Amino acid sequence: MKNFTDNKNRVTVRVPGTSANCGPGFDCLGVATTIYNYLDLTLIRANKVVVESSGEGADKIPRGKRNLTWLAIRRLLQEVGREDEFKGAIIRMKNNVPISRGLGSSSTAIVAGLTAANEILGSPLDKNGLLRLATELEGHPDNVAPAIFGGFTVSVMDNGAVQTFSFQPRIKLKLIVAVPDFELSTRLARKVLPKNVSMKDAIFNISRASMLIAALVEGREELLPLAFDDALHQPYRKKLVPGMSEVFEAAKSAGALGAAISGAGSCLIAFTSARARLEDKIAESMVEAFKLHGVNSKALILNVDKHGAQLIRNVELGIRN
Ligand code: HSE
């Protein structure tokens, strides 16, 4: 391994797990959370990709050139015309974000590869450039945008081009994520959606998504209880997540401002204001409600990540040099 290592071509990045949709913002809203995946990347001249991973999903992550982080790195190298210079990589990952649960693990893999490689190459792309490539690789912007920018993000697609507004909410929120012990593929969760929706359901979501962003930007907590509901995707995905409605109800009864499927599931997420100090009670009630439907789950209590993908020092990762 040492032979391939060239320290000036090596960096470590930390990328937040994300929750897309936030209820009514299907395929356009997202929030970065304080659970992180780490990538220690070395770009090498040899035509070889070495992947080491530990933590969540370590045994499932593709090795070699099928690895998603490598595909992102290769895309960046092509974009900036450096693919002949760096033909391979040493990819070391330490993952905390559960995989195939709607917390943006594939986005972290893409954003980590792009951010780290961009840094090694002397930052030829800015964050919007990274967002463009990440969206192309992921297929939609709602997880990759908060993974890059942090905070909440609103993303608009226009003929393949993406524009993102990112902001820090003026309400200090706690995010309670119930992580069930089953995975859900995004492909399947998209397959159950209808091709067309009614005007009534469209208005239901537009009004709530708009209210959600306005309330978060202005710090109007009293407007939030109306703002997390959805009529465009959750009713159809309900059958894929046993106990979904009951977990939402349990979270709200325990004092949550609202609850939603995290991304395409299987996690469910509830939102509460930090000052209410209800997060433990909400977490307990969500796990309990899942259990009544035969689903084992664990709860994560997270904050909103403010920074998005960031460079860190290797030493923080505890990965050997
Ligand atoms: N907006 C996407 C969906 C997120 O709900 O299908 C998937 O990561």
Side-chain angles (χ1 to χ4, degrees), residues 146-163:
I148 291 171
F149 292 99
F152 275 81
T153 53
V154 185
S155 299
V156 173
M157 295 295 294
D158 184 43
N159 273 328
V162 55
Q163 192 165 58

Side-chain angles (χ1 to χ4, degrees), residues 50 58 67 229 271 279:
V50 178
N67 179 270
D229 292 339
F271 300 83
E279 56 273 16

Side-chain angles (χ1 to χ4, degrees), residues 207-222:
S207 54
R208 281 163 180 78
S210 307
M211 185 68 91
L212 176 57
I213 299 308
L216 292 173
V217 167
E218 287 285 318
R220 297 276 303 274
E221 192 182 318
E222 78 279 11

Side-chain angles (χ1 to χ4, degrees), residues 218-275:
E218 287 285 318
R220 297 276 303 274
E221 192 182 318
E222 78 279 11
L223 299 175
L224 285 177
L226 273 183
F228 288 103
D229 292 339
D230 160 77
L232 294 185
H233 65 110
Q234 293 180 174
Y236 307 97
R237 289 173 163 174
K238 186 176 159 165
K239 59 183 176 218
L240 303 175
V241 186
M244 181 194 88
S245 307
E246 292 79 3
V247 175
F248 290 172
E249 279 318 308
K252 288 182 202 166
S253 301
L257 294 162
I261 301 184
S262 184
S266 55
C267 285
L268 303 180
I269 183 167
F271 300 83
T272 182
S273 90
R275 100 188 141 70

